[in-house]
Amino acid sequence: MGTPDFAVPSLEALLKSDDAVVGIVTQPDRPKGRGQILVPSPVKQVAQREHIPLLQPTKMKDAEFLRMLADWKPDIIVVAAFGRILPPAVLTLPPKGCINVHGSLLPKYRGAGPIQWAIINGETETGITTMLMDEGMDTGAMLLQEKIEIRSDDTAGSLSVKLAELGGRLLVKTVQQWKAGTLVPHPQDHSRATLAPLLKKEDGLIDWTMPAAALANRIRGLTPWPGAYTFYGSDRWTVLKAEALPESLTGVPGMVAAVTKQAIHVETGRGLLVVTELQPANGRRMKVGEYLAGHPISVGQRLVHGRS
RNA sequence: CGCGGGGUGGAGCAGCCUGGUAGCUCGUUGGGCUCAUAACCCAAAGGUCGAAGGUUCAAAUCCUUCCCCCGCAA
């Protein structure tokens, strides 16, 4: 069971492994983009390519769905970024249980946005944890765990690709060892658990009173989705790349303190944020140098929280 | 038919409303200046103005259709 790009490497890894994938479950096609066109999930596209039986339930407790799922007689159900809570009826279906691939070092960052929050919080390492699912949100007993470095230039997008890849490898290893009975589940230390809730569009709004270093992390964690944005006059900017400088020039958060050939220096709550890449509304992503070639930016203007 | 913005030399934009043979910033090339430079000065190259059709003496500019890109919203 899985839905977005993150789940694809896990599925592909399973397909290449010795175990048979008897069926795939993914979320229903959703209208997407400007034409409101129905788009199949990345996982569905693989399923169709491989001609593997596919279910797209709208409700997890739907009787028809549960009956068809049971008909597949799965030994194990593997879940990677599926996006739905599994009811007990599903969790207890496979004799060897449900295994989840999670993008963090549990018990830290339980929830839908572990990769993004790890970057936002300035972590320097994260990883993949495979675990036996229970009824809680990422609270099950852990099977295998592997660490990965978070580089200072990683964004949620780039890190997600790496973790998805690692997830696929670790998943196959987990399944093999679990079948062989050589794995001992380790209960999580619930007292050390932290939550990583799903990010919303509004979480991308930049609060210039925060320290520059925190904003730089936040921008990385919010890229490419939902995107960190701010407003210059009536223009909406999505800030794609920026770095923090410790010194401060004007002390007025949000003020454009300086403009060089390839960067816009913005005052924050502490230090300067040097913006080097952005995407204006109605435009494509571009280096600030390119943007400045056609858009005069005046020092002293303030970046604000809404269109003005 | 969800709302909206846009396609103009290599890049980013102005010009369109109030038709009359294309402009700005940057880049590129050549030259100059300088101990030196991604700095500065001078010069040059480079554009079927997304496509097709229409109106007109004349269309980047007005009308019609089509193609492509993007923001919001989901």
Side-chain angles (χ1 to χ4, degrees), chain A residues 261-296:
Chain A
K261 269 192 119 163
Q262 29 218 344
I264 298 169
H265 297 233
V266 185
E267 199 68 50
T268 70
R270 190 169 74 237
L272 286 170
L273 192 74
V274 182
V275 178
T276 55
E277 201 170 328
L278 59 78
Q279 174 164 17
N282 306 330
R284 56 184 193 80
R285 64 182 300 164
M286 56 183 103
K287 305 273 187 205
V288 164
E290 297 177 304
Y291 183 80
L292 290 173
H295 305 260

Side-chain angles (χ1 to χ4, degrees), chain A residues 15-292:
Chain A
L15 289 168
K16 281 185 205 139
S17 75
D18 299 332
D19 296 293
V21 178
V22 297
I24 293 174
V25 182
T26 194
Q27 291 210 28
D29 298 358
R30 293 264 154 69
K32 216 181 160 188
R34 279 161 275 282
Q36 290 301 91
I37 302 163
L38 235 46
V39 177
S41 76
V43 164
K44 178 176 180 177
Q45 293 177 29
V46 175
Q48 291 178 324
R49 189 191 72 207
E50 302 288 331
H51 303 293
I52 294 173
L54 178 76
L55 291 178
Q56 294 182 274
T58 49
K59 291 193 329 202
M60 283 299 104
K61 293 177 179 173
D62 181 72
E64 175 73 359
F65 161 66
L66 292 173
R67 192 183 59 71
M68 297 185 73
L69 190 63
D71 275 351
W72 286 346
K73 295 189 174 25
D75 294 319
I76 298 177
I77 290 179
V78 165
V79 182
F82 177 49
R84 305 306 292 267
I85 303 285
L86 302 188
V90 174
L91 292 173
T92 56
L93 182 65
K96 286 190 162 51
C98 296
I99 294 178
N100 181 231
V101 181
H102 187 74
S104 80
L105 300 173
L106 291 171
K108 295 175 81 176
Y109 300 110
R110 291 173 174 174
I115 302 172
Q116 289 145 326
W117 283 106
I119 294 180
I120 289 172
N121 290 337
E123 303 278 354
T124 54
E125 69 173 17
T126 183
I128 291 284
T129 305
T130 54
M131 61 168 178
L132 288 174
M133 298 176 73
D134 60 19
E135 287 183 50
M137 168 78 86
D138 299 321
T139 52
M142 302 182 286
L143 295 172
L144 290 177
Q145 192 167 76
E146 194 169 321
K147 289 181 182 175
I148 192 173
E149 175 198 9
I150 299 180
R151 297 164 49 103
S152 60
D153 62 344
D154 265 325
T155 64
S158 68
L159 185 58
S160 178
V161 170
K162 295 179 198 173
L163 283 173
E165 188 61 32
L166 172 61
R169 287 206 308 277
L170 203 62
L171 172 63
V172 171
K173 209 195 249 180
T174 302
V175 169
Q176 284 171 351
Q177 295 183 19
W178 181 241
K179 275 198 313 176
T182 57
L183 271 187
V184 181
H186 286 74
Q188 295 184 33
D189 179 353
H190 299 292
S191 66
R192 293 182 50 216
T194 60
L195 292 178
L198 186 66
L199 286 164
K200 296 191 297 288
K201 199 93 188 171
E202 308 84 77
D203 293 321
L205 183 58
I206 294 175
D207 174 6
W208 292 106
T209 63
M210 292 175 70
L215 284 175
N217 286 336
R218 205 174 171 80
I219 287 163
R220 290 192 301 132
L222 292 167
T223 303
W225 200 90
Y229 59 94
T230 188
F231 295 90
Y232 177 88
S234 59
D235 298 331
R236 181 187 191 277
W237 291 354
T238 301
V239 178
L240 295 167
K241 204 174 258 181
E243 52 192 80
L245 285 183
E247 62 267 27
S248 176
L249 290 178
T250 67
V252 184
M255 178 175 281
V256 176
V259 176
T260 69
K261 269 192 119 163
Q262 29 218 344
I264 298 169
H265 297 233
V266 185
E267 199 68 50
T268 70
R270 190 169 74 237
L272 286 170
L273 192 74
V274 182
V275 178
T276 55
E277 201 170 328
L278 59 78
Q279 174 164 17
N282 306 330
R284 56 184 193 80
R285 64 182 300 164
M286 56 183 103
K287 305 273 187 205
V288 164
E290 297 177 304
Y291 183 80
L292 290 173

